[in-house]
Amino acid sequence: MKTIRFKFLIILGVLLFSIISLFPTIQYYSIPKSELEKKPKEEIRKLLRRTLSLGLDLIGGMYLVLKVNPPEKEKVKEARDRVLEIIRNRIDQWGVFEPVIQPIGEDRIMVQLPGVMDRERAREIIGKTAVLTFHLVEDIESAKRVLDNIDKSLLEIEGGNKNSPLKPLLFLYRGDIVFEEIYLDSIKKIIKREEVKKLIPKDKIFLFGKSFEVEGKKLRSIFLLNKNPDVKGEYIKDARQSVYQGTDPALQNTPVVNISFDRRGTIDFARVTGENVGRRLAIVLDSIVQSAPRIAQKIPTGNAQITGIESMDEARDLAVILRAGALPAPVDIEEERSVGPLLGKDSIRRGIQSAILGGLLVMIFMAIYYLFAGAVADFALILNLIIILSLLSLFKGTLTLPGIAGLILTIGMSVDANVLIYERIREELRLGKSFKAAVDAGFSRALITILDSNLTTIFSALVLIWFGTGPIRGFGLVLALGIATSFFTAVFVVRTIFDYFVIVKKVKSLPI
């Protein structure tokens, strides 16, 4: 009697623990979306930490596989780990809830962004190298002189019978040398020619500015800069987006990013600005000149401002990237998939309908075919589902569409053990044994068969978890949990209920 009471206490404890574990999930998914958007982000984060996550195929979002390309091939794994940390920082600061970021092999990273539908913005934030440097700009006369020399040299090389290849493309606009963007590739090809490189001073480099539009034409500036950075962006301590509030009327109410340097960066920035008052200092991001303001005075505070940003979203993303740091190696997006939220909702609806229909059919069959014993098996089946979902929630598992398939498969498999036990009991009853003896024999003889069957299936599930990724892994996880919990419910729980009636209530027979 004490043993049976103790077993019931275990079952009750498991049931209570499972319901408590599932409560945050029920609470989160029952909150209307309009109310969820009003709640503080930190409160949502706390709730999500205790909530069963839904996979991209259910909630919608982006799936990316990135390949890391370090300059030193022997340090691939080291570069991958650093890139992974920086991407994680960028995504965290961007505010994406429950992202999944994990390495694949030695040089690849898998990124899952639930709920993210803005593909271009996500690609920009994740893939941007974000190397920020500051370079002193040569005056416009020096730049024109180098460009004229290049033009003359090319004319001589090509026999002097053709028109100037470079000069007609360039003109002055607001004190800068500019050209129409349609000629960008042509000018790049000219500058990259070996004979042209010799005409550019060794400590200088030509870089292009961002595209801008004037009277319907897209223009770009070309700058002659110091080749080596005068101040490095790696000393940035903080970066925040804001709106320009300075004295330049052309920049009023435009988005900017205010940056501040750490102690080392502040010293370098103060030295460079102090020694070059009157000159222009270019702010260069990923080899593109963002802006080139003139130094009016020494800046000892270590603060600078990036202008020339088109939108506040771009300013916010740039601030996020600069705070998280530059990628140590460029990355290529090898695979990209996105799932719309409507498709996800449809998948959830159909998956839940399938699970309910499959479960009901199994329960009706068990109740009709095995009567009272079937009802006990149905109770064990419901308990099994509650335990699986609570364990997924507890272990921070992710329920995917294949995971729901695994859940439906588990529903069928969980009553399979009861079918084996009940058929054994029927056989023993047909041999003339008492109900108590038939129950003892039925459970003990079926146990080995159930163990064998469950072990072979669980090995397959473990292989899927170990070698699979994404949805395949989710299917394997749900299947493995389902097998383990169905053994507990189908054998331990059902046997305890039978023992209660046979030993405590002294019943001589039960409908089976």
Side-chain angles (χ1 to χ4, degrees):
M1 176 64 187
K2 283 184 180 177
T3 308
I4 294 173
R5 188 180 296 163
F6 180 68
K7 286 181 178 177
F8 268 116
L9 283 174
I10 292 175
I11 296 167
L12 188 63
V14 170
L15 180 61
L16 282 175
F17 181 76
S18 301
I19 291 172
I20 291 169
S21 301
L22 267 180
F23 182 71
T25 302
I26 298 167
Q27 189 185 9
Y28 177 76
Y29 289 108
S30 60
I31 300 173
K33 194 178 177 184
S34 55
E35 286 185 27
L36 202 63
E37 288 171 353
K38 293 176 187 172
K39 286 184 178 292
K41 285 188 176 180
E42 191 52 39
E43 189 180 332
I44 298 173
R45 281 183 195 278
K46 279 183 183 175
L47 195 58
L48 279 171
R49 286 190 197 111
R50 297 175 291 144
T51 300
L52 173 61
S53 303
L54 298 181
L56 288 188
D57 49 0
L58 296 180
I59 199 172
M62 283 189 70
Y63 173 91
L64 299 162
V65 175
L66 310 170
K67 186 174 186 298
V68 181
N69 299 301
E72 297 177 56
K73 295 298 177 191
E74 67 273 12
K75 294 183 178 177
V76 175
K77 194 169 177 298
E78 185 184 331
R80 182 207 64 189
D81 291 344
R82 287 178 60 200
V83 168
L84 189 144
E85 278 308 308
I86 290 167
I87 288 177
R88 191 189 301 281
N89 283 340
R90 289 182 180 183
I91 292 172
D92 283 348
Q93 295 200 30
W94 190 21
V96 178
F97 292 118
E98 298 295 302
V100 178
I101 308 161
Q102 61 188 44
I104 303 176
E106 281 202 343
D107 59 351
R108 285 172 174 78
I109 297 169
M110 184 270 286
V111 180
Q112 289 186 5
L113 303 173
V116 172
M117 292 295 123
D118 193 340
R119 294 173 57 193
E120 289 306 318
R121 199 171 168 196
R123 288 166 64 105
E124 185 77 4
I125 287 179
I126 292 172
K128 202 177 187 74
T129 311
V131 175
L132 182 71
T133 48
F134 296 78
H135 302 249
L136 285 166
V137 182
E138 286 299 304
D139 60 72
I140 198 161
E141 292 304 323
S142 302
K144 280 173 69 178
R145 201 161 38 248
V146 176
L147 289 168
D148 283 345
N149 287 339
I150 292 172
D151 206 53
K152 287 176 188 171
S153 175
L154 289 175
L155 268 177
E156 289 174 8
I157 291 170
E158 292 171 6
N161 298 323
K162 293 185 179 179
N163 295 326
S164 300
L166 188 59
K167 211 170 176 179
L169 307 181
L170 307 173
F171 57 98
L172 288 177
Y173 179 77
R174 291 187 176 178
D176 284 335
I177 302 172
V178 299
F179 58 91
E180 286 190 54
E181 192 169 17
I182 53 174
Y183 301 120
L184 178 62
D185 289 339
S186 304
I187 295 175
K188 275 184 177 176
K189 282 180 185 173
I190 291 173
I191 290 174
K192 285 180 181 175
R193 289 174 65 164
E194 288 303 320
E195 59 270 31
V196 170
K197 285 180 182 175
K198 293 174 185 171
L199 300 172
I200 302 171
K202 286 184 180 177
D203 59 341
K204 307 295 176 193
I205 186 171
F206 276 114
L207 287 182
F208 303 102
K210 292 181 69 178
S211 171
F212 60 98
E213 195 168 310
V214 178
E215 296 178 352
K217 290 182 179 177
K218 286 193 171 181
L219 305 180
R220 274 181 183 259
S221 304
I222 182 168
F223 298 92
L224 184 63
L225 315 168
N226 282 353
K227 194 170 190 177
N228 294 322
D230 294 284
V231 182
K232 293 180 179 176
E234 64 192 62
Y235 302 125
I236 287 176
K237 185 173 65 179
D238 195 17
R240 300 284 164 186
Q241 73 278 4
S242 181
V243 176
Y244 181 79
Q245 295 177 342
T247 55
D248 189 342
L251 297 176
Q252 289 300 322
N253 297 321
T254 58
V256 295
V257 174
N258 295 314
I259 57 177
S260 57
F261 289 99
D262 61 11
R263 187 172 173 276
R264 169 71 187 275
T266 301
I267 293 170
D268 287 353
F269 200 63
R271 176 182 53 76
V272 171
T273 53
E275 293 173 356
N276 297 280
V277 173
R279 290 188 67 181
R280 298 174 73 185
L281 184 66
I283 301 170
V284 180
L285 182 67
D286 289 344
S287 301
I288 295 176
V289 177
Q290 300 293 309
S291 58
R294 198 168 295 282
I295 303 169
Q297 59 185 0
K298 180 180 179 181
I299 304 174
T301 56
N303 295 322
Q305 192 172 68
I306 302 175
T307 59
I309 300 168
E310 292 179 2
S311 67
M312 190 51 80
D313 275 347
E314 189 185 341
R316 191 178 294 112
D317 295 347
L318 181 57
V320 164
I321 291 169
L322 292 177
R323 283 200 301 272
L327 295 181
V331 295
D332 293 331
I333 297 175
E334 283 203 331
E335 186 181 347
E336 178 186 334
R337 282 186 276 130
S338 56
V339 180
L342 291 178
L343 179 61
K345 281 181 184 174
D346 191 53
S347 301
I348 293 174
R349 183 176 58 79
R350 286 172 179 270
I352 291 173
Q353 283 176 351
S354 304
I356 291 173
L357 183 63
L360 279 176
L361 287 174
V362 170
M363 289 171 72
I364 291 169
F365 171 78
M366 292 297 289
I368 292 173
Y369 196 71
Y370 292 109
L371 304 173
F372 173 80
V376 174
D378 290 344
F379 168 74
L381 175 64
I382 295 169
L383 180 62
N384 188 24
L385 286 174
I386 294 172
I387 296 172
I388 292 170
L389 292 174
S390 71
L391 287 176
L392 279 173
S393 176
L394 199 66
F395 294 134
K396 298 298 297 170
T398 300
L399 188 63
T400 59
L401 201 56
I404 292 179
L407 205 60
I408 297 168
L409 181 62
T410 304
I411 290 171
M413 292 183 66
S414 63
V415 294
D416 187 51
N418 290 117
V419 171
L420 280 173
I421 294 166
Y422 293 166
E423 289 302 320
R424 284 284 185 184
I425 293 174
R426 280 179 169 180
E427 285 177 13
E428 299 298 328
L429 287 172
R430 281 195 288 270
L431 292 174
K433 288 187 178 178
S434 67
F435 187 70
K436 183 177 181 306
V439 168
D440 288 340
F443 273 95
S444 61
R445 289 182 180 178
L447 188 63
I448 298 299
T449 309
I450 295 168
L451 267 176
D452 285 347
S453 169
N454 285 356
L455 275 176
T456 51
T457 311
I458 212 165
F459 284 147
S460 304
L462 289 175
V463 170
L464 292 177
I465 295 171
W466 187 262
F467 292 104
T469 57
I472 302 297
R473 198 173 187 182
F475 175 81
L477 179 64
V478 173
L479 189 60
L481 284 175
I483 292 164
T485 54
S486 69
F487 188 80
F488 170 76
T489 54
V491 177
F492 183 80
V493 174
V494 172
R495 177 65 193 265
T496 303
I497 293 172
F498 269 79
D499 284 349
Y500 172 76
F501 283 100
V502 172
I503 298 171
V504 179
K505 293 294 181 182
K506 308 289 186 188
V507 296
K508 299 298 180 188
S509 178
L510 285 170
I512 184 169

